[in-house]
């Protein structure tokens, strides 16, 4: 039976652009994984890894125009957005190169023997080593930053792990082009092309998670797809770590005092955040708790005015468009749900932005509208109007885990007066990133960043953005009473590599 073709499709028209590849067979997946496994040794030298990451960034920048053109043709995200996303991706590659050079991510700890301790301490030396081949499942909404050369791949390479990417069907042509750029960068440093495998097709993704030489996996996508892969990773004869970003509502709480102080600004900010990228950001604010009354009314009017001026947009593919329209219709049909500005279809290829409004009391208690507490991917949000603080708290108590949670406070509350500290503490259990007087769209690539959260936001406690994302692909190992001559250089007393380390309880730099 012939392998199924893989087509590049233009989401603006729904028409096929070109056949890019064919779906990978089980044999193809096996070959890609084995080639990646064989390439592990080429990443052993940290200096080579860092140079490879920097060269990859340089080559992506050199190929920018062609890559952005292909990305736009397959995603309809626009050249400006995609040029910025590619720049972010290159910055991220270089940031991991710096992390690799510094070496602190190895977490070197050396303890010399201490017979006076209870119990006595032998000679112990601990650091982290790479897990092995990492399977990366690309995201639809970030064709550069969460795809072939994205954060999962960059951090895995930084850790010393080769990668096999399962390409997203929304941008297969771009995936092939980016893979070739990365393989060219690898060749420049004597690294085999197999260090980056690329496979297409649903069955390839299933085969990949079950391959015995795959040591870990990273995923960004839907709750349904991510949970299926997570369960498969756990059900293997040898379970593996699965770091999945699945879904997030990203709640926003606006206090009565904040609305009274700046309702119009908050409404306009919400409009910009929920419609950014046609509402296709994983941190889009999907539920907003706003006060009932005059101040809340002003916020809703501002939101209505700004969103009404937003033009129709194209979603990443027509399947997502269908799901968006169905999801909005199902939510709008619930009792006491209003549509001050109804989201829906534009023409046969586009959607229009809007929002739903509901009394906050309909989100708690018997007969609660649980559907409104689930993510709806696209340019829509739910504004829940609460009558008092206890009603808002009751809604928050029912929320699942999220990537972000936001609170808008008045100037006095932000200065620590009133319930400001209490509200921050109330939101902390809900999310991996808690924002004050801002909007969650826009995830900075920075050492202190955390892009993760309680399930179903993610399936682990780790982050997929920021320097500590590298920790997902490593495991600690300790050597006890090993002679100096047998130790890896990272663990020797004379510290020949100049690594940051904790030496007999003292942090050295």
């Amino acid at each position: 039976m012939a392998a199924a073709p893989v087509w590049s499709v233009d989401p603006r028209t729904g028409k096929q652009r070109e056949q890019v590849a064919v779906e990978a067979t089980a044999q193809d997946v096996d070959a890609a994984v084995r080639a990646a496994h064989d390439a592990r040794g080429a990443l052993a030298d940290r200096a080579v890894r860092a140079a490879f990451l920097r060269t990859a960034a340089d080559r992506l920048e050199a190929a920018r125009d062609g890559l952005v053109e292909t990305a736009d043709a397959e995603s309809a995200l626009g050249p400006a957005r995609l040029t910025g996303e590619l720049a972010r991706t290159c910055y991220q590659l270089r940031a991991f190169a710096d992390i690799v050079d510094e070496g602190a991510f190895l977490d070197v700890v050396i303890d010399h023997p201490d017979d006076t301790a209870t119990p006595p301490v032998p000679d112990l030396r601990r650091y982290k080593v790479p897990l092995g081949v990492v399977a990366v499942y690309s995201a639809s909404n970030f064709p550069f930053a969460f795809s072939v050369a994205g954060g999962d791949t960059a951090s895995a390479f930084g850790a010393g792990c080769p990668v096999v990417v399962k390409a997203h069907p929304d941008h297969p042509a771009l995936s092939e082009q980016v893979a070739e750029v990365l393989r060219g960068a690898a060749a420049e440093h004597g690294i085999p092309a197999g260090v980056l495998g690329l496979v297409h097709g649903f069955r390839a993704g299933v085969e990949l998670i079950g391959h015995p030489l795959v040591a870990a996996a990273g995923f960004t996508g839907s709750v349904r797809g991510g949970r299926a892969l997570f369960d498969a990773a756990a059900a293997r004869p040898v379970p593996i770590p699965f770091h999945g970003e699945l879904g997030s509502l990203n709640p926003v709480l606006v206090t009565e005092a904040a609305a009274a102080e700046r309702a119009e600004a908050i409404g306009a900010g919400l409009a910009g955040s929920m419609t950014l990228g046609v509402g296709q950001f994983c941190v889009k604010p999907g539920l907003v708790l706003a006060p009932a009354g005059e101040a809340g009314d002003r916020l809703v009017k501002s939101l209505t005015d700004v969103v009404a001026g937003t033009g129709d947009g194209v979603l990443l593919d027509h399947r997502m468009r269908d799901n968006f329209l169905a999801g909005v219709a199902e939510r709008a049909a619930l009792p006491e749900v209003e549509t001050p500005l109804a989201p829906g279809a534009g023409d046969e290829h586009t959607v229009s932005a809007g929002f739903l409004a509901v009394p906050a009391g309909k989100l708690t208690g018997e007969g609660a509208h649980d559907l409104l507490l689930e993510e709806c991917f696209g340019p829509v949000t739910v504004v829940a109007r609460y009558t008092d603080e206890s009603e808002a708290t009751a809604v928050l108590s029912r929320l699942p885990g999220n990537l972000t949670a936001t609170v808008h406070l008045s100037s006095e509350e932000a200065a620590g007066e009133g319930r400001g500290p209490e509200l921050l503490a109330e939101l902390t259990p809900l999310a991996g990133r808690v924002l004050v007087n801002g909007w969650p769209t826009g995830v900075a690539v920075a050492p202190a960043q955390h892009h993760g959260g309680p399930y179903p936001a993610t399936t682990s406690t780790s982050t997929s953005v920021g320097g500590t994302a590298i920790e997902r692909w490593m495991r600690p190992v300790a050597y006890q009473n090993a002679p100096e001559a047998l130790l890896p250089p990272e663990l020797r007393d004379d510290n020949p590599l100049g690594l940051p380390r904790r030496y007999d309880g003292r942090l050295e730099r």
Side-chain angles (χ1 to χ4, degrees):
M1 182 177 178
V6 174
W7 291 92
S8 173
V9 177
D10 184 346
R12 294 182 174 95
T13 64
K15 294 181 179 179
Q16 295 174 341
R17 298 177 58 248
E18 61 176 327
Q19 182 180 342
V20 173
V22 295
E23 293 187 357
T25 64
Q27 292 74 22
D28 295 331
V29 173
D30 179 65
V33 173
R34 292 187 181 280
H37 188 261
D38 291 344
R40 290 172 301 153
L43 294 176
D45 189 315
R46 285 191 302 121
V48 171
R49 296 204 307 262
F52 167 39
L53 289 167
R54 293 190 178 99
T55 299
D58 292 344
R59 284 179 169 246
L60 286 170
E61 286 178 341
R64 179 188 60 200
D65 292 347
L67 294 176
V68 168
E69 181 180 2
T70 300
D72 182 49
E74 292 189 316
S75 71
L77 290 172
R81 147 72 195 271
L82 291 163
T83 299
E85 187 185 329
L86 179 58
R88 166 211 170 107
T89 302
C90 294
Y91 175 85
Q92 188 165 241
L93 287 161
R94 294 185 177 109
F96 278 112
D98 292 342
I99 288 168
V100 172
D101 278 341
E102 181 197 53
F105 74 103
L106 295 170
D107 287 343
V108 176
V109 181
I110 296 175
D111 289 322
H112 287 97
D114 183 357
D115 293 335
T116 67
T118 305
V121 175
D123 187 281
L124 288 169
R125 293 153 192 259
R126 178 184 187 272
Y127 79 146
K128 290 182 177 177
V129 297
L131 288 174
V133 178
V134 172
V136 170
Y137 293 80
S138 293
S140 60
N141 56 340
F142 282 87
F144 289 118
F146 283 82
S147 187
V148 176
D152 285 351
T153 298
S155 58
F157 282 157
C161 297
V163 171
V164 178
V165 176
K166 192 282 185 181
H168 197 280
D170 280 355
H171 36 84
L174 178 67
S175 297
E176 289 285 349
Q177 291 176 14
V178 172
E180 282 307 303
V181 171
L182 294 188
R183 289 169 182 151
E188 192 171 322
H189 298 282
I191 300 172
V195 74
L196 178 73
L198 181 67
V199 295
H200 298 268
F202 175 82
R203 290 302 310 170
V206 176
E207 294 285 347
L208 187 58
I209 198 68
H211 197 288
L213 293 181
V214 168
F219 171 90
T220 303
S222 69
V223 173
R224 180 181 178 184
R227 182 56 192 256
L229 290 171
F230 174 74
D231 290 346
R236 290 167 39 126
V238 178
I240 59 172
F242 182 88
H243 304 282
E245 179 191 320
L246 310 187
S248 186
L249 193 62
N250 306 301
V252 177
L253 172 62
V254 181
T255 68
E256 177 78 40
E261 187 176 86
R262 57 182 198 285
E264 289 77 14
I266 294 173
L270 171 59
S273 186
M274 60 155 286
T275 60
L276 186 65
V278 202
Q280 297 174 111
F281 278 52
C282 51
V283 289
K284 179 201 74 176
L287 174 68
V288 182
L289 286 160
E294 185 270 339
D297 290 344
R298 288 192 289 119
L299 187 158
V300 170
K301 183 180 185 305
S302 174
L303 172 65
T304 304
D305 292 344
V306 178
V307 174
T310 303
D312 294 348
V314 177
L315 295 184
L316 293 161
D317 61 42
H318 281 62
R319 177 184 58 83
M320 291 185 188
R321 180 179 181 274
D322 291 343
N323 289 340
F324 170 74
L325 296 177
V328 165
E330 187 177 6
R331 288 162 172 79
L334 293 170
E336 297 188 51
V337 172
E338 299 178 352
T339 53
L341 184 63
D347 62 25
E348 61 180 322
H349 303 296
T350 63
V351 297
S352 58
F355 66 97
L356 311 176
V358 65
K362 298 301 294 182
L363 302 180
T364 61
E366 188 175 351
H369 296 339
D370 291 343
L371 182 62
L372 298 181
L373 303 183
E374 297 177 12
E375 179 183 19
C376 186
F377 196 70
V380 62
T381 194
V382 175
V383 179
R385 305 292 297 273
Y386 65 88
T387 56
D388 56 37
E389 295 172 354
S390 64
E391 198 169 49
T393 297
V395 174
L396 292 174
S397 70
R398 299 199 63 235
L399 298 184
N402 289 272
L403 293 170
T404 71
T406 300
V407 61
H408 279 268
L409 304 171
S410 69
S411 54
E412 288 187 356
E413 290 170 330
E417 300 181 23
R419 294 186 67 228
E422 178 185 340
L423 291 174
L424 208 63
E426 197 171 311
L427 293 178
T428 296
L430 295 179
R433 179 161 57 107
V434 179
L435 296 90
V436 178
N437 292 350
W439 298 103
T441 39
V443 183
V445 178
Q449 184 60 272
H450 188 84
H451 188 62
Y455 185 86
T458 49
T459 60
S460 75
T461 59
S462 300
T463 179
S464 61
V465 179
T468 54
I470 200 171
E471 297 172 359
R472 298 174 296 167
W473 320 123
M474 308 189 77
R475 67 173 181 88
V477 59
Y479 295 91
Q480 182 170 326
N481 294 333
E484 181 92 359
L486 302 183
L487 288 169
E490 292 86 351
L491 297 180
R492 294 177 185 168
D493 279 334
D494 59 354
N495 197 12
L497 303 179
L499 294 171
R501 61 183 185 171
R502 187 168 292 276
Y503 191 82
D504 287 337
R506 299 184 308 277
L507 186 62
E508 295 183 349
R509 296 186 181 276

